């Protein structure tokens, strides 16, 4: 199993960060690599909620990724699963309020676990594990940067 963990401090309340994170229809508006979101289930976000995102790969091509909510504890924890080829992914978003530079903000930690489910998944993990981990870390950092920018825009709109 491979695990990548990244934390970003976002100068916004946890409730506001959570609202952005789970507003599925507008994810493509603030995630720079997401071209579209298709809801696969209806109703409020909770266990079983599923959607498909079309993301732009570094080589310019598109890739569809499906996500299913395993756990949702607003505004503190969101656990997603995403099936892969020979590997299943589990992505955990943890939000906690902290003091930073004398101001309240939200520490957002994303933990991305890759769990091989087929023999060739283990072989691929051994051969490309470090390279894949760096790519995943870069993608998480980009998504967290997009989330922080969207939170700044949202709080600026509220202040106006």
């Amino acid at each position: 199993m491979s695990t990548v963990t990244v934390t970003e401090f976002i100068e916004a309340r946890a409730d506001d960060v959570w609202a952005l994170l789970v507003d599925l229809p507008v994810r493509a508006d603030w995630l720079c690599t997401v071209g579209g979101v298709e809801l696969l289930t209806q109703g409020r976000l909770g266990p079983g909620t599923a959607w498909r995102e079309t993301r732009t790969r570094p080589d310019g091509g598109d890739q569809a990724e499906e996500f299913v909510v395993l756990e949702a504890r607003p505004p503190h924890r969101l656990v997603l699963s995403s099936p892969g080829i020979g590997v299943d992914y589990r992505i955990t978003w943890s939000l906690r309020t902290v003091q930073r530079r004398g101001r309240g903000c939200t520490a957002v930690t994303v933990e991305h676990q890759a769990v091989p489910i087929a023999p060739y998944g283990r072989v691929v993990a051994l051969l490309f594990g470090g390279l894949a981990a760096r790519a995943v870390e870069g993608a998480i950092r980009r998504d967290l940067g997009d989330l922080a920018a969207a939170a700044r825009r949202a709080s600026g709109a509220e202040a106006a």
Side-chain angles (χ1 to χ4, degrees):
M1 179 170 66
S2 169
T3 302
V4 174
T5 305
V6 178
T7 298
E8 173 82 23
F9 294 94
I10 298 177
E11 299 212 8
R13 295 174 342 113
D15 289 332
D16 297 333
V17 174
W18 177 268
L20 282 166
L21 183 62
V22 300
D23 189 350
L24 300 178
V26 300
R27 284 176 71 84
D29 293 344
W30 61 264
L31 278 166
C32 70
T33 60
V34 173
V37 175
E38 176 188 359
L39 297 175
L40 302 175
T41 57
Q42 300 298 316
R44 294 176 50 94
L45 184 125
T49 300
W51 72 95
R52 181 179 299 118
E53 291 180 358
T54 303
R55 289 186 170 247
T56 304
R57 295 188 314 249
D59 66 4
D62 287 337
Q63 176 179 347
E65 294 184 68
E66 289 188 13
F67 297 94
V68 176
V69 175
L70 300 177
E71 179 184 345
R73 287 190 296 146
H76 303 291
R77 183 174 163 88
L78 179 64
V79 182
L80 309 173
S81 71
S82 180
I85 299 172
V87 179
D88 277 346
Y89 301 99
R90 182 181 186 111
I91 304 103
T92 302
W93 293 75
S94 301
L95 288 71
R96 63 188 168 82
T97 301
V98 296
Q99 290 292 315
R100 189 160 188 250
R101 290 181 244 160
R103 297 170 43 168
C105 69
T106 303
V108 181
T109 299
V110 178
E111 180 181 85
H112 186 283
Q113 295 177 310
V115 181
I117 57 170
Y120 61 86
R122 289 180 185 86
V123 171
V124 170
L126 284 173
L127 293 174
F128 300 108
L131 179 61
R134 285 190 295 280
V136 167
E137 180 180 350
I140 293 170
R141 288 190 186 285
R142 192 170 35 258
D143 286 357
L144 284 170
D146 289 349
L147 180 59
R152 280 192 302 274
R153 285 191 303 272
S155 65
E158 289 176 10

